[in-house]
Amino acid sequence: MKKLPIDFIFGGATAAYQAEGATQSDGKGRVAWDTYLEENYWYTAEPASDFYNRYPVDLKLCEEFGVNGIRISIAWSRIFPTGFGEVNQKGVEYYHKLFAECKKRQVEPFVTLHHFDTPETLHSNGDFLNRENINHFVTYAEFCFKEFSEVNYWTTFNEIGPIGDGQYLVGKFPPGIKYDFAKVFQSHHNMMVAHARAVNHFKEAGYLGEIGVVHALPTKYPYNPNNPADVRAAELEDIIHNKFILDATYLGEYSAETMAGVAHILAVNGGSLDLREEDFAILKQAKDRNDFLGINYYMSDWMREFDGETEITHNSTGDKGGSKYQLKGIGRREFDVDVPRTDWDWMIYPKGLYDQIMRVVKEYPNYKKIYITENGLGYKDEFIDGTVYDDARIDYVKQHLEVIADAIADGANVKGYFLWSLMDVFSWSNGYEKRYGLFYVDFNTQERYPKKSAYWYKQLAKTQLIE
Ligand code: BGP
């Protein structure tokens, strides 16, 4: 039986927009998602899990179930309703109260500044494609570092990769643009510059505590490792989702291989990038200043060569087999692989997490520390006898923790794990049917019910034994 270190964090993850509700309360400014969900989806973020009011309940549950860390994000538009300018004191007070409650329950908050929720005024103005918004983000970050001195762990952004993909490739995040690769890379790059500027400020101002970034890193394998075209397809997909942002984080530049891949993708699909010398000076200054890397890992993909027209069909409803993903001159995902997958077509492959951790260790040796900041199983949970017998989730988490223990044994410095999600929350493009939590939320009454996995997690946190 495998064991995790005694000082390991057994956390749960949340995000402001997916948990808080109260989207228009106490002076909060609108975010692009408010309008986008109203216009395009069958659900909204109101009241979500009502974390805005029920955080004392959730933190009490953390204490009871041994959850000693929580990922929380600050909603930028609660602090600056239009993204900049006058501060909304009610928003500031809310987060002070939330962090005080964390302290009371001895749950360490890991605080993210941006988890997909740019204020609407800035989003409609180009979001991070507009360089002016980098300045606004940095001003917001500076304000938070100074104001919330009780926070020990800061994350600038959650998932720069999926933001660019969701907004400009898959088109399932506002503004819903599809297949625009130049916008994808430009968004990644500009957000990485914003990250680096925030990190540089944090370190130069001498704040106590740690700072890092959270990247989603799905591992990409060639469908046929003996076919060089499949190998290339996997490399190109990896550049889009992982390598470009990892290079920016830890090299402070894009390697020659990365840029060759980007040049190929843009030559086939059109578009050009605005990468400036001053950007690289900023990235270089920050590259050794990241105290930790957060890795969100849910799945791996198998790639085949592909030269036809780009087409992506996103499976929002959980009808297994509903996905299609093929990119011109890059590759296509092959779902017919001998590994299990969720109803949303996410391929379950724990070894992909091990490989991804070891890849960071090997290719970016200036990383200091890793937290697995999200991992979990989206499932159509059945609520029976006041609980959920979620053995599939326990099995999923167990298998992923085992490979984390292996990676630690092989020299990786992994210090904690945050299950996505602490309690059920809403899923951006999949609604409320896709549940992940340790605690079941009845979205009508907002009551919380521990699932079987919560009891399992409690035992794990107590003994560190993965059984
Ligand atoms: C990550 C996000 C989370 C969460 C999770 C599950 O990309 O950081 O916010 O939503 O994925 O994804 P989904 O809700 O699409 O199932």
Side-chain angles (χ1 to χ4, degrees):
M1 194 186 313
K2 295 181 179 166
K3 195 169 194 269
L4 289 158
I6 193 140
D7 61 347
F8 201 75
I9 298 233
F10 293 95
T14 71
Y17 196 67
Q18 290 173 275
E20 286 176 359
T23 58
Q24 315 297 322
S25 307
D26 291 339
K28 184 180 191 297
R30 286 181 73 82
V31 298
W33 278 97
D34 293 333
T35 313
Y36 194 72
L37 289 176
E38 280 159 25
E39 288 175 358
N40 296 285
Y41 283 96
W42 61 97
Y43 53 88
T44 70
E46 199 62 72
S49 325
D50 195 27
F51 188 67
Y52 192 69
N53 297 304
R54 290 183 192 248
Y55 66 89
V57 175
D58 291 312
L59 286 158
K60 185 162 180 277
L61 283 169
C62 285
E63 189 181 44
E64 276 172 33
F65 283 82
V67 178
N68 60 357
I70 183 171
R71 276 191 73 208
I72 286 170
S73 77
I74 294 179
W76 184 349
S77 74
R78 282 198 199 283
I79 308 296
F80 293 104
T82 57
F84 62 95
E86 210 165 306
V87 172
N88 175 35
Q89 276 310 327
K90 287 213 162 135
V92 174
E93 281 159 28
Y94 166 66
Y95 289 107
H96 278 305
K97 283 191 287 179
L98 175 54
F99 300 142
E101 194 71 19
C102 291
K103 191 161 188 205
K104 176 173 155 197
R105 298 294 177 189
Q106 296 178 58
V107 183
E108 185 68 50
F110 282 64
V111 181
T112 304
L113 290 167
H114 181 281
H115 194 126
F116 298 0
D117 55 349
T118 306
E120 189 168 51
T121 34
L122 306 186
H123 196 281
S124 60
N125 197 10
D127 202 7
F128 281 91
L129 295 177
N130 180 346
R131 281 174 179 262
E132 191 52 37
N133 292 337
I134 300 178
N135 297 334
H136 293 316
F137 174 78
V138 175
T139 306
Y140 156 62
E142 287 174 7
F143 174 84
C144 290
F145 298 152
K146 198 164 178 198
E147 176 69 36
F148 301 111
S149 55
E150 65 271 51
V151 171
N152 296 317
Y153 296 90
W154 288 103
T155 293
T156 52
F157 290 103
N158 177 73
E159 296 194 349
I160 287 171
I163 291 174
D165 305 342
Q167 298 193 169
Y168 309 117
L169 181 62
V170 181
K172 277 286 162 184
F173 288 7
I177 294 170
K178 293 181 101 172
Y179 316 149
D180 190 327
F181 290 89
K183 284 195 171 63
V184 171
F185 287 119
Q186 194 67 55
S187 166
H188 290 3
H189 174 77
N190 290 3
M191 291 184 81
M192 281 309 308
V193 172
H195 158 78
R197 279 184 53 188
V199 168
N200 289 336
H201 172 81
F202 187 86
K203 293 296 176 188
E204 281 157 22
Y207 286 108
L208 299 175
E210 300 191 355
I211 189 162
V213 63
V214 166
H215 290 322
L217 301 176
T219 311
K220 308 291 179 177
Y221 298 100
Y223 179 72
N224 175 0
N226 299 316
N227 176 0
D230 286 4
V231 172
R232 185 63 181 147
E235 283 168 5
L236 291 170
E237 256 277 285
D238 181 66
I239 288 171
I240 297 174
H241 298 277
N242 306 323
K243 195 167 159 57
F244 188 81
I245 49 177
L246 282 172
D247 280 4
T249 309
Y250 285 115
L251 305 182
E253 64 185 7
Y254 304 110
S255 69
E257 287 156 285
T258 301
M259 280 323 285
V262 172
H264 165 80
I265 292 165
L266 296 183
V268 176
N269 293 281
S272 60
L273 301 181
D274 172 15
L275 310 178
R276 302 179 187 173
E277 245 171 66
E278 68 252 32
D279 299 344
F280 293 108
I282 292 164
L283 291 173
K284 280 241 155 74
Q285 266 170 359
K287 76 181 176 66
D288 298 319
R289 289 174 159 175
N290 296 289
D291 295 302
F292 63 88
L293 170 68
I295 297 180
N296 292 356
Y297 176 84
Y298 291 90
M299 65 189 131
S300 291
D301 294 299
W302 280 263
M303 301 302 297
R304 293 186 112 161
E305 63 176 312
F306 181 75
D307 277 319
E309 287 310 307
T310 296
E311 193 184 339
I312 300 175
T313 311
H314 174 75
N315 171 355
S316 301
T317 50
D319 295 321
K320 212 177 202 160
S323 306
K324 190 176 200 178
Y325 183 97
Q326 53 187 47
L327 308 178
K328 187 177 179 177
I330 300 166
R332 72 177 176 86
R333 288 185 192 163
E334 178 59 80
F335 295 98
D336 190 12
V337 179
D338 193 22
V339 296
R341 60 174 151 157
T342 73
D343 287 345
W344 287 265
D345 299 319
W346 292 18
M347 313 293 273
I348 303 173
Y349 193 62
K351 182 171 182 296
L353 175 57
Y354 174 87
D355 289 345
Q356 196 62 254
I357 294 171
M358 297 317 284
R359 174 257 187 105
V360 170
V361 172
K362 199 166 137 240
E363 292 176 26
Y364 304 98
N366 57 332
Y367 92 96
K368 292 183 186 139
K369 177 160 75 159
I370 291 171
Y371 292 97
I372 305 307
T373 36
E374 283 183 35
N375 174 248
L377 179 66
Y379 209 69
K380 294 167 192 160
D381 284 345
E382 270 183 83
F383 187 63
I384 302 165
D385 310 330
T387 188
V388 179
Y389 298 98
D390 54 347
D391 294 280
R393 180 168 294 112
I394 293 171
D395 198 43
Y396 179 102
V397 176
K398 188 172 167 231
Q399 288 182 42
H400 286 82
L401 287 171
E402 280 171 350
V403 302
I404 293 170
D406 292 344
I408 294 172
D410 292 343
N413 189 24
V414 186
K415 302 301 278 183
Y417 175 92
F418 295 77
L419 180 83
W420 183 269
S421 46
L422 178 64
M423 66 290 193
D424 292 334
V425 298
F426 98 92
S427 167
W428 302 97
S429 58
N430 304 285
Y432 288 92
E433 298 307 310
K434 192 182 193 188
R435 292 172 182 267
Y436 284 91
L438 283 179
F439 305 109
Y440 183 90
V441 175
D442 177 333
F443 290 109
N444 294 316
T445 62
Q446 291 296 339
E447 285 300 312
R448 271 71 167 146
Y449 301 88
K451 299 179 191 176
K452 188 175 175 186
S453 56
Y455 293 97
W456 178 83
Y457 205 66
K458 180 176 183 174
Q459 184 64 14
L460 165 79
K462 196 166 145 198
T463 61
Q464 299 94 46
L465 285 170
I466 311 166
E467 48 184 336

